Amino acid sequence: MTIIGNWKMYPSLSDALVLASRLKQELEKIRGVEIVLAPPLPWIIPIQEQWHYHKHGVQFAAQSLAAADQGAYTGETSNYFMKDIVGQVIIGHSERRQAGETKEDVAAKLASALKWKLKPTVCIGELRPVLDGGKLEPIGWHHLLTQAKAVLAGLKESDFPKLGLAYEPVWAIGGGKAARPEYVAEVLDRLMIALTDEFGPNVKEITWLYGGSVDSTNAVDYLRLKEVDGLLVGSASVKAKEFIQICHLASSLVSQ
Ligand code: PGA
C-alpha cells in the first residue's frame, strides 16, 4: 500500500521544516506502507538534512521534473539531476495539465523517469463526472481513456510494475468534494477492462492510487476497494495530524 503526500506549493520553508519534523517522529514507526512525501522541490534537501535522511524509511518525490536531461531549459530541473535526491516523481498532475502540459509532455517525462530509475506516479482524471447512475458520459470517458492510453502506449509491459497511476477526478480535487468510493471503483473497473484489452493482463501490476479530497475520514473507504492500492493526498498531507492518521489507518488495514 502506498500513501503519497503532495504538498503542492503550500508550505513555506519554515512551515515545511516544522511539518517534516512532526511527521518524521510518527511516520518512522509505521510498518507495511510505502510513505512518499512530495514537498516543494527546494525544500527537499533542507528536510533531508534536518532528518539525517537515509534511504530506508520514508521516500521523497518531486512534484514534476523535465523530460530533458540537461541543457538550455531555464527554470527546469531534470530526472537526471534529481535521481540521487529523490526516488520518485509525480507526472502529469491535473494542475500541470491545466497549465499546458500535454499528453506528449507527460509521455516524455515518464520515459525520462524510467530511464533514470525514479518511480513515476502519473495522474489521470476527468474534468466532470463520467458516470451518472451507471451510465457513461461518452466525451468525458473518452478524455479519461485517451489520457490513460497515452501513458501506457510508450511503455513495455515489463515497465507496468514500476508505474503508479493516480486516478484523480479533477472535479474532486481541492474542494472537499471527494468522489464516492463506489464511483471510483466503477470507473477503475471499466478503465482496467479497457486497458487490459489493449495492453494485456500486466495492467494489474500497476500501482493504482486514488486522489481527490482524501482525508482521515474517507481514506479507509478508498483503501478497502480492491481496485485501489494507495492514495495521493493533497491538502490533508500538509496537516501533520491528518497525514499521520491516514498513514496509521493504511497500516492497520495492511496488518488485518
Ligand atoms: P487534494 O489534492 O487532496 O487537496 O484534493 C489531491 C491532489 O491534487 O493530488
Side-chain angles (χ1 to χ4, degrees), residues 148-193:
K149 285 184 178 177
V151 176
L152 300 192
L155 301 183
K156 302 188 284 288
E157 265 198 76
S158 58
D159 290 328
F160 290 2
K162 301 176 206 154
L163 174 68
L165 262 185
Y167 171 52
E168 297 205 301
V170 178
W171 52 270
I173 292 176
K177 273 188 290 153
R180 284 182 302 106
E182 311 82 68
Y183 178 97
V184 173
E186 188 166 348
V187 173
L188 286 181
D189 277 342
R190 287 174 186 255
L191 257 183
M192 281 189 213
I193 292 169

mmCIF file of all heavy atoms in Angstrom, residues 148-193:
data_model
loop_
_atom_site.group_PDB
_atom_site.id
_atom_site.type_symbol
_atom_site.label_atom_id
_atom_site.label_comp_id
_atom_site.label_asym_id
_atom_site.label_seq_id
_atom_site.Cartn_x
_atom_site.Cartn_y
_atom_site.Cartn_z
ATOM 1 N N ALA A 148 -5.235 7.838 -20.219
ATOM 2 C CA ALA A 148 -4.656 6.605 -19.667
ATOM 3 C C ALA A 148 -3.889 5.845 -20.750
ATOM 4 O O ALA A 148 -2.761 5.372 -20.515
ATOM 5 C CB ALA A 148 -5.758 5.738 -19.074
ATOM 6 N N LYS A 149 -4.478 5.745 -21.949
ATOM 7 C CA LYS A 149 -3.803 5.005 -23.027
ATOM 8 C C LYS A 149 -2.509 5.695 -23.433
ATOM 9 O O LYS A 149 -1.509 5.038 -23.739
ATOM 10 C CB LYS A 149 -4.729 4.894 -24.245
ATOM 11 C CG LYS A 149 -5.845 3.882 -24.059
ATOM 12 C CD LYS A 149 -6.660 3.770 -25.333
ATOM 13 C CE LYS A 149 -7.751 2.727 -25.181
ATOM 14 N NZ LYS A 149 -8.599 2.656 -26.390
ATOM 15 N N ALA A 150 -2.513 7.035 -23.416
ATOM 16 C CA ALA A 150 -1.298 7.762 -23.799
ATOM 17 C C ALA A 150 -0.165 7.469 -22.814
ATOM 18 O O ALA A 150 1.006 7.475 -23.196
ATOM 19 C CB ALA A 150 -1.577 9.262 -23.851
ATOM 20 N N VAL A 151 -0.509 7.214 -21.559
ATOM 21 C CA VAL A 151 0.525 6.894 -20.564
ATOM 22 C C VAL A 151 1.135 5.522 -20.876
ATOM 23 O O VAL A 151 2.357 5.340 -20.882
ATOM 24 C CB VAL A 151 -0.056 6.896 -19.130
ATOM 25 C CG1 VAL A 151 0.998 6.459 -18.120
ATOM 26 C CG2 VAL A 151 -0.612 8.276 -18.775
ATOM 27 N N LEU A 152 0.272 4.561 -21.165
ATOM 28 C CA LEU A 152 0.762 3.185 -21.337
ATOM 29 C C LEU A 152 1.370 2.937 -22.717
ATOM 30 O O LEU A 152 2.187 2.020 -22.872
ATOM 31 C CB LEU A 152 -0.373 2.183 -21.095
ATOM 32 C CG LEU A 152 -1.022 2.228 -19.705
ATOM 33 C CD1 LEU A 152 -1.911 1.017 -19.496
ATOM 34 C CD2 LEU A 152 0.010 2.285 -18.591
ATOM 35 N N ALA A 153 0.974 3.762 -23.702
ATOM 36 C CA ALA A 153 1.360 3.468 -25.090
ATOM 37 C C ALA A 153 2.875 3.386 -25.281
ATOM 38 O O ALA A 153 3.349 2.568 -26.068
ATOM 39 C CB ALA A 153 0.771 4.527 -26.019
ATOM 40 N N GLY A 154 3.622 4.216 -24.566
ATOM 41 C CA GLY A 154 5.073 4.241 -24.799
ATOM 42 C C GLY A 154 5.833 3.222 -23.959
ATOM 43 O O GLY A 154 7.061 3.194 -23.998
ATOM 44 N N LEU A 155 5.122 2.408 -23.184
ATOM 45 C CA LEU A 155 5.804 1.517 -22.238
ATOM 46 C C LEU A 155 5.861 0.087 -22.739
ATOM 47 O O LEU A 155 5.028 -0.349 -23.532
ATOM 48 C CB LEU A 155 5.063 1.516 -20.892
ATOM 49 C CG LEU A 155 4.919 2.864 -20.184
ATOM 50 C CD1 LEU A 155 4.232 2.660 -18.844
ATOM 51 C CD2 LEU A 155 6.270 3.515 -19.983
ATOM 52 N N LYS A 156 6.824 -0.649 -22.212
ATOM 53 C CA LYS A 156 6.833 -2.099 -22.403
ATOM 54 C C LYS A 156 6.010 -2.699 -21.262
ATOM 55 O O LYS A 156 5.939 -2.105 -20.181
ATOM 56 C CB LYS A 156 8.264 -2.645 -22.310
ATOM 57 C CG LYS A 156 9.213 -2.025 -23.332
ATOM 58 C CD LYS A 156 10.551 -2.734 -23.337
ATOM 59 C CE LYS A 156 11.448 -2.387 -22.173
ATOM 60 N NZ LYS A 156 12.069 -1.092 -22.117
ATOM 61 N N GLU A 157 5.434 -3.880 -21.501
ATOM 62 C CA GLU A 157 4.640 -4.498 -20.416
ATOM 63 C C GLU A 157 5.475 -4.698 -19.158
ATOM 64 O O GLU A 157 4.973 -4.619 -18.047
ATOM 65 C CB GLU A 157 4.067 -5.845 -20.876
ATOM 66 C CG GLU A 157 2.646 -5.710 -21.405
ATOM 67 C CD GLU A 157 1.951 -7.038 -21.441
ATOM 68 O OE1 GLU A 157 1.542 -7.512 -20.357
ATOM 69 O OE2 GLU A 157 1.829 -7.607 -22.544
ATOM 70 N N SER A 158 6.785 -4.904 -19.365
ATOM 71 C CA SER A 158 7.645 -5.126 -18.191
ATOM 72 C C SER A 158 7.828 -3.849 -17.358
ATOM 73 O O SER A 158 8.316 -3.894 -16.241
ATOM 74 C CB SER A 158 9.004 -5.673 -18.629
ATOM 75 O OG SER A 158 9.594 -4.768 -19.535
ATOM 76 N N ASP A 159 7.436 -2.674 -17.929
ATOM 77 C CA ASP A 159 7.507 -1.423 -17.155
ATOM 78 C C ASP A 159 6.311 -1.279 -16.214
ATOM 79 O O ASP A 159 6.347 -0.461 -15.293
ATOM 80 C CB ASP A 159 7.495 -0.201 -18.095
ATOM 81 C CG ASP A 159 8.775 -0.055 -18.897
ATOM 82 O OD1 ASP A 159 9.829 -0.441 -18.375
ATOM 83 O OD2 ASP A 159 8.705 0.434 -20.032
ATOM 84 N N PHE A 160 5.222 -2.006 -16.476
ATOM 85 C CA PHE A 160 3.984 -1.755 -15.725
ATOM 86 C C PHE A 160 4.162 -1.895 -14.213
ATOM 87 O O PHE A 160 3.627 -1.092 -13.458
ATOM 88 C CB PHE A 160 2.840 -2.655 -16.225
ATOM 89 C CG PHE A 160 2.331 -2.302 -17.607
ATOM 90 C CD1 PHE A 160 2.901 -1.275 -18.352
ATOM 91 C CD2 PHE A 160 1.287 -3.007 -18.173
ATOM 92 C CE1 PHE A 160 2.446 -0.960 -19.627
ATOM 93 C CE2 PHE A 160 0.807 -2.693 -19.447
ATOM 94 C CZ PHE A 160 1.397 -1.674 -20.173
ATOM 95 N N PRO A 161 4.924 -2.887 -13.715
ATOM 96 C CA PRO A 161 5.067 -2.971 -12.257
ATOM 97 C C PRO A 161 5.831 -1.791 -11.651
ATOM 98 O O PRO A 161 5.769 -1.576 -10.450
ATOM 99 C CB PRO A 161 5.858 -4.278 -12.061
ATOM 100 C CG PRO A 161 5.694 -5.038 -13.326
ATOM 101 C CD PRO A 161 5.541 -4.016 -14.409
ATOM 102 N N LYS A 162 6.541 -1.024 -12.491
ATOM 103 C CA LYS A 162 7.303 0.128 -11.959
ATOM 104 C C LYS A 162 6.452 1.395 -11.932
ATOM 105 O O LYS A 162 6.912 2.449 -11.495
ATOM 106 C CB LYS A 162 8.519 0.400 -12.864
ATOM 107 C CG LYS A 162 9.473 -0.756 -12.993
ATOM 108 C CD LYS A 162 10.576 -0.400 -13.995
ATOM 109 C CE LYS A 162 11.148 -1.640 -14.633
ATOM 110 N NZ LYS A 162 11.711 -1.402 -15.960
ATOM 111 N N LEU A 163 5.232 1.320 -12.452
ATOM 112 C CA LEU A 163 4.417 2.517 -12.684
ATOM 113 C C LEU A 163 3.312 2.670 -11.638
ATOM 114 O O LEU A 163 2.643 1.707 -11.281
ATOM 115 C CB LEU A 163 3.769 2.408 -14.080
ATOM 116 C CG LEU A 163 2.759 3.475 -14.475
ATOM 117 C CD1 LEU A 163 3.447 4.829 -14.663
ATOM 118 C CD2 LEU A 163 2.029 3.082 -15.757
ATOM 119 N N GLY A 164 3.125 3.908 -11.159
ATOM 120 C CA GLY A 164 1.928 4.243 -10.390
ATOM 121 C C GLY A 164 0.997 5.065 -11.274
ATOM 122 O O GLY A 164 1.462 5.926 -12.032
ATOM 123 N N LEU A 165 -0.294 4.767 -11.231
ATOM 124 C CA LEU A 165 -1.278 5.595 -11.932
ATOM 125 C C LEU A 165 -2.226 6.136 -10.881
ATOM 126 O O LEU A 165 -2.867 5.355 -10.162
ATOM 127 C CB LEU A 165 -2.072 4.764 -12.939
ATOM 128 C CG LEU A 165 -1.650 4.781 -14.399
ATOM 129 C CD1 LEU A 165 -2.654 3.987 -15.236
ATOM 130 C CD2 LEU A 165 -1.506 6.188 -14.962
ATOM 131 N N ALA A 166 -2.288 7.450 -10.763
ATOM 132 C CA ALA A 166 -3.190 8.057 -9.775
ATOM 133 C C ALA A 166 -4.433 8.537 -10.485
ATOM 134 O O ALA A 166 -4.351 9.427 -11.350
ATOM 135 C CB ALA A 166 -2.494 9.217 -9.083
ATOM 136 N N TYR A 167 -5.559 7.901 -10.147
ATOM 137 C CA TYR A 167 -6.834 8.351 -10.695
ATOM 138 C C TYR A 167 -7.344 9.494 -9.825
ATOM 139 O O TYR A 167 -7.702 9.292 -8.662
ATOM 140 C CB TYR A 167 -7.834 7.190 -10.729
ATOM 141 C CG TYR A 167 -9.229 7.654 -11.074
ATOM 142 C CD1 TYR A 167 -9.455 8.429 -12.211
ATOM 143 C CD2 TYR A 167 -10.312 7.342 -10.258
ATOM 144 C CE1 TYR A 167 -10.720 8.894 -12.518
ATOM 145 C CE2 TYR A 167 -11.587 7.788 -10.563
ATOM 146 C CZ TYR A 167 -11.779 8.572 -11.693
ATOM 147 O OH TYR A 167 -13.030 9.040 -11.985
ATOM 148 N N GLU A 168 -7.300 10.692 -10.391
ATOM 149 C CA GLU A 168 -7.720 11.880 -9.642
ATOM 150 C C GLU A 168 -8.762 12.636 -10.463
ATOM 151 O O GLU A 168 -8.403 13.453 -11.332
ATOM 152 C CB GLU A 168 -6.529 12.812 -9.405
ATOM 153 C CG GLU A 168 -5.431 12.214 -8.575
ATOM 154 C CD GLU A 168 -4.627 13.308 -7.871
ATOM 155 O OE1 GLU A 168 -4.067 14.171 -8.558
ATOM 156 O OE2 GLU A 168 -4.601 13.289 -6.648
ATOM 157 N N PRO A 169 -10.054 12.362 -10.214
ATOM 158 C CA PRO A 169 -11.071 13.133 -10.927
ATOM 159 C C PRO A 169 -10.845 14.622 -10.628
ATOM 160 O O PRO A 169 -10.791 15.004 -9.456
ATOM 161 C CB PRO A 169 -12.394 12.651 -10.323
ATOM 162 C CG PRO A 169 -12.072 11.419 -9.548
ATOM 163 C CD PRO A 169 -10.627 11.486 -9.191
ATOM 164 N N VAL A 170 -10.686 15.421 -11.667
ATOM 165 C CA VAL A 170 -10.296 16.823 -11.455
ATOM 166 C C VAL A 170 -11.351 17.550 -10.619
ATOM 167 O O VAL A 170 -11.020 18.381 -9.772
ATOM 168 C CB VAL A 170 -10.062 17.512 -12.825
ATOM 169 C CG1 VAL A 170 -9.705 18.982 -12.645
ATOM 170 C CG2 VAL A 170 -8.952 16.795 -13.592
ATOM 171 N N TRP A 171 -12.610 17.181 -10.833
ATOM 172 C CA TRP A 171 -13.703 17.837 -10.094
ATOM 173 C C TRP A 171 -13.678 17.494 -8.604
ATOM 174 O O TRP A 171 -14.350 18.156 -7.806
ATOM 175 C CB TRP A 171 -15.059 17.452 -10.706
ATOM 176 C CG TRP A 171 -15.259 15.969 -10.859
ATOM 177 C CD1 TRP A 171 -14.925 15.224 -11.953
ATOM 178 C CD2 TRP A 171 -15.796 15.065 -9.897
ATOM 179 N NE1 TRP A 171 -15.222 13.901 -11.729
ATOM 180 C CE2 TRP A 171 -15.773 13.781 -10.473
ATOM 181 C CE3 TRP A 171 -16.309 15.210 -8.608
ATOM 182 C CZ2 TRP A 171 -16.230 12.646 -9.812
ATOM 183 C CZ3 TRP A 171 -16.776 14.088 -7.941
ATOM 184 C CH2 TRP A 171 -16.723 12.817 -8.546
ATOM 185 N N ALA A 172 -12.915 16.485 -8.222
ATOM 186 C CA ALA A 172 -12.878 16.069 -6.808
ATOM 187 C C ALA A 172 -11.664 16.644 -6.077
ATOM 188 O O ALA A 172 -11.512 16.442 -4.880
ATOM 189 C CB ALA A 172 -12.854 14.553 -6.718
ATOM 190 N N ILE A 173 -10.790 17.345 -6.815
ATOM 191 C CA ILE A 173 -9.543 17.814 -6.198
ATOM 192 C C ILE A 173 -9.747 19.156 -5.501
ATOM 193 O O ILE A 173 -10.358 20.059 -6.057
ATOM 194 C CB ILE A 173 -8.432 17.968 -7.275
ATOM 195 C CG1 ILE A 173 -8.033 16.600 -7.809
ATOM 196 C CG2 ILE A 173 -7.219 18.701 -6.721
ATOM 197 C CD1 ILE A 173 -7.017 16.636 -8.924
ATOM 198 N N GLY A 174 -9.257 19.239 -4.297
ATOM 199 C CA GLY A 174 -9.092 20.536 -3.643
ATOM 200 C C GLY A 174 -10.339 21.143 -3.034
ATOM 201 O O GLY A 174 -10.253 22.026 -2.201
ATOM 202 N N GLY A 175 -11.497 20.656 -3.412
ATOM 203 C CA GLY A 175 -12.692 21.368 -2.958
ATOM 204 C C GLY A 175 -13.483 20.647 -1.893
ATOM 205 O O GLY A 175 -14.593 21.070 -1.560
ATOM 206 N N GLY A 176 -12.945 19.559 -1.354
ATOM 207 C CA GLY A 176 -13.710 18.816 -0.362
ATOM 208 C C GLY A 176 -14.856 18.015 -0.982
ATOM 209 O O GLY A 176 -15.731 17.530 -0.271
ATOM 210 N N LYS A 177 -14.862 17.887 -2.337
ATOM 211 C CA LYS A 177 -15.935 17.121 -2.998
ATOM 212 C C LYS A 177 -15.386 15.768 -3.431
ATOM 213 O O LYS A 177 -15.286 15.468 -4.623
ATOM 214 C CB LYS A 177 -16.399 17.859 -4.255
ATOM 215 C CG LYS A 177 -17.487 18.883 -4.017
ATOM 216 C CD LYS A 177 -18.001 19.401 -5.351
ATOM 217 C CE LYS A 177 -16.960 20.257 -6.038
ATOM 218 N NZ LYS A 177 -16.909 20.399 -7.429
ATOM 219 N N ALA A 178 -14.952 14.944 -2.502
ATOM 220 C CA ALA A 178 -14.356 13.654 -2.857
ATOM 221 C C ALA A 178 -15.334 12.815 -3.692
ATOM 222 O O ALA A 178 -16.552 12.898 -3.491
ATOM 223 C CB ALA A 178 -13.986 12.899 -1.585
ATOM 224 N N ALA A 179 -14.795 12.008 -4.605
ATOM 225 C CA ALA A 179 -15.647 11.090 -5.379
ATOM 226 C C ALA A 179 -16.126 9.974 -4.453
ATOM 227 O O ALA A 179 -15.361 9.523 -3.587
ATOM 228 C CB ALA A 179 -14.850 10.511 -6.536
ATOM 229 N N ARG A 180 -17.359 9.523 -4.646
ATOM 230 C CA ARG A 180 -17.846 8.410 -3.802
ATOM 231 C C ARG A 180 -17.016 7.157 -4.108
ATOM 232 O O ARG A 180 -16.670 6.905 -5.274
ATOM 233 C CB ARG A 180 -19.328 8.141 -4.088
ATOM 234 C CG ARG A 180 -20.260 9.172 -3.454
ATOM 235 C CD ARG A 180 -21.719 8.844 -3.705
ATOM 236 N NE ARG A 180 -22.025 8.759 -5.137
ATOM 237 C CZ ARG A 180 -22.248 7.643 -5.809
ATOM 238 N NH1 ARG A 180 -22.221 6.471 -5.209
ATOM 239 N NH2 ARG A 180 -22.503 7.682 -7.097
ATOM 240 N N PRO A 181 -16.717 6.344 -3.104
ATOM 241 C CA PRO A 181 -15.907 5.137 -3.342
ATOM 242 C C PRO A 181 -16.510 4.223 -4.410
ATOM 243 O O PRO A 181 -15.765 3.657 -5.219
ATOM 244 C CB PRO A 181 -15.887 4.450 -1.971
ATOM 245 C CG PRO A 181 -16.158 5.533 -0.998
ATOM 246 C CD PRO A 181 -17.007 6.558 -1.682
ATOM 247 N N GLU A 182 -17.846 4.101 -4.443
ATOM 248 C CA GLU A 182 -18.479 3.230 -5.463
ATOM 249 C C GLU A 182 -18.206 3.778 -6.864
ATOM 250 O O GLU A 182 -18.052 3.021 -7.823
ATOM 251 C CB GLU A 182 -20.011 3.154 -5.280
ATOM 252 C CG GLU A 182 -20.489 2.849 -3.869
ATOM 253 C CD GLU A 182 -20.516 4.102 -2.998
ATOM 254 O OE1 GLU A 182 -21.340 4.992 -3.266
ATOM 255 O OE2 GLU A 182 -19.717 4.181 -2.049
ATOM 256 N N TYR A 183 -18.204 5.100 -6.970
ATOM 257 C CA TYR A 183 -17.911 5.746 -8.247
ATOM 258 C C TYR A 183 -16.473 5.412 -8.676
ATOM 259 O O TYR A 183 -16.217 5.009 -9.808
ATOM 260 C CB TYR A 183 -18.098 7.264 -8.092
ATOM 261 C CG TYR A 183 -17.774 8.072 -9.319
ATOM 262 C CD1 TYR A 183 -18.771 8.475 -10.207
ATOM 263 C CD2 TYR A 183 -16.460 8.449 -9.609
ATOM 264 C CE1 TYR A 183 -18.460 9.219 -11.332
ATOM 265 C CE2 TYR A 183 -16.139 9.191 -10.732
ATOM 266 C CZ TYR A 183 -17.154 9.575 -11.592
ATOM 267 O OH TYR A 183 -16.836 10.310 -12.714
ATOM 268 N N VAL A 184 -15.545 5.560 -7.717
ATOM 269 C CA VAL A 184 -14.129 5.297 -8.018
ATOM 270 C C VAL A 184 -13.958 3.837 -8.451
ATOM 271 O O VAL A 184 -13.284 3.537 -9.446
ATOM 272 C CB VAL A 184 -13.258 5.598 -6.771
ATOM 273 C CG1 VAL A 184 -11.816 5.182 -6.987
ATOM 274 C CG2 VAL A 184 -13.357 7.078 -6.412
ATOM 275 N N ALA A 185 -14.610 2.930 -7.713
ATOM 276 C CA ALA A 185 -14.481 1.506 -8.039
ATOM 277 C C ALA A 185 -15.004 1.232 -9.443
ATOM 278 O O ALA A 185 -14.369 0.508 -10.222
ATOM 279 C CB ALA A 185 -15.249 0.671 -7.013
ATOM 280 N N GLU A 186 -16.144 1.821 -9.781
ATOM 281 C CA GLU A 186 -16.729 1.512 -11.086
ATOM 282 C C GLU A 186 -15.891 2.098 -12.230
ATOM 283 O O GLU A 186 -15.645 1.428 -13.241
ATOM 284 C CB GLU A 186 -18.177 2.019 -11.156
ATOM 285 C CG GLU A 186 -18.825 1.515 -12.426
ATOM 286 C CD GLU A 186 -20.331 1.658 -12.460
ATOM 287 O OE1 GLU A 186 -20.946 1.946 -11.403
ATOM 288 O OE2 GLU A 186 -20.881 1.489 -13.563
ATOM 289 N N VAL A 187 -15.423 3.325 -12.053
ATOM 290 C CA VAL A 187 -14.587 3.916 -13.117
ATOM 291 C C VAL A 187 -13.298 3.097 -13.278
ATOM 292 O O VAL A 187 -12.888 2.769 -14.392
ATOM 293 C CB VAL A 187 -14.266 5.397 -12.818
ATOM 294 C CG1 VAL A 187 -13.262 5.938 -13.827
ATOM 295 C CG2 VAL A 187 -15.539 6.233 -12.829
ATOM 296 N N LEU A 188 -12.679 2.726 -12.160
ATOM 297 C CA LEU A 188 -11.417 1.973 -12.253
ATOM 298 C C LEU A 188 -11.651 0.587 -12.866
ATOM 299 O O LEU A 188 -10.834 0.110 -13.651
ATOM 300 C CB LEU A 188 -10.741 1.867 -10.887
ATOM 301 C CG LEU A 188 -10.092 3.167 -10.389
ATOM 302 C CD1 LEU A 188 -9.426 2.961 -9.034
ATOM 303 C CD2 LEU A 188 -9.060 3.690 -11.391
ATOM 304 N N ASP A 189 -12.761 -0.055 -12.515
ATOM 305 C CA ASP A 189 -13.077 -1.353 -13.134
ATOM 306 C C ASP A 189 -13.155 -1.207 -14.646
ATOM 307 O O ASP A 189 -12.584 -1.991 -15.404
ATOM 308 C CB ASP A 189 -14.428 -1.877 -12.629
ATOM 309 C CG ASP A 189 -14.288 -2.583 -11.295
ATOM 310 O OD1 ASP A 189 -13.154 -2.970 -10.935
ATOM 311 O OD2 ASP A 189 -15.315 -2.729 -10.593
ATOM 312 N N ARG A 190 -13.902 -0.199 -15.085
ATOM 313 C CA ARG A 190 -14.076 -0.001 -16.523
ATOM 314 C C ARG A 190 -12.742 0.335 -17.189
ATOM 315 O O ARG A 190 -12.435 -0.153 -18.282
ATOM 316 C CB ARG A 190 -15.080 1.123 -16.784
ATOM 317 C CG ARG A 190 -16.515 0.732 -16.487
ATOM 318 C CD ARG A 190 -17.420 1.948 -16.629
ATOM 319 N NE ARG A 190 -18.783 1.661 -16.226
ATOM 320 C CZ ARG A 190 -19.793 1.490 -17.069
ATOM 321 N NH1 ARG A 190 -19.601 1.578 -18.362
ATOM 322 N NH2 ARG A 190 -21.007 1.248 -16.613
ATOM 323 N N LEU A 191 -11.943 1.173 -16.511
ATOM 324 C CA LEU A 191 -10.632 1.530 -17.076
ATOM 325 C C LEU A 191 -9.750 0.301 -17.214
ATOM 326 O O LEU A 191 -9.102 0.091 -18.242
ATOM 327 C CB LEU A 191 -9.932 2.506 -16.142
ATOM 328 C CG LEU A 191 -9.884 3.983 -16.498
ATOM 329 C CD1 LEU A 191 -9.079 4.738 -15.449
ATOM 330 C CD2 LEU A 191 -9.303 4.219 -17.876
ATOM 331 N N MET A 192 -9.739 -0.539 -16.163
ATOM 332 C CA MET A 192 -8.850 -1.705 -16.201
ATOM 333 C C MET A 192 -9.273 -2.669 -17.294
ATOM 334 O O MET A 192 -8.417 -3.259 -17.970
ATOM 335 C CB MET A 192 -8.834 -2.385 -14.845
ATOM 336 C CG MET A 192 -7.936 -1.627 -13.888
ATOM 337 S SD MET A 192 -7.696 -2.544 -12.374
ATOM 338 C CE MET A 192 -7.561 -1.215 -11.204
ATOM 339 N N ILE A 193 -10.573 -2.820 -17.493
ATOM 340 C CA ILE A 193 -11.042 -3.712 -18.572
ATOM 341 C C ILE A 193 -10.578 -3.166 -19.921
ATOM 342 O O ILE A 193 -9.988 -3.879 -20.742
ATOM 343 C CB ILE A 193 -12.579 -3.866 -18.525
ATOM 344 C CG1 ILE A 193 -12.966 -4.653 -17.268
ATOM 345 C CG2 ILE A 193 -13.114 -4.549 -19.789
ATOM 346 C CD1 ILE A 193 -14.453 -4.659 -16.957
#
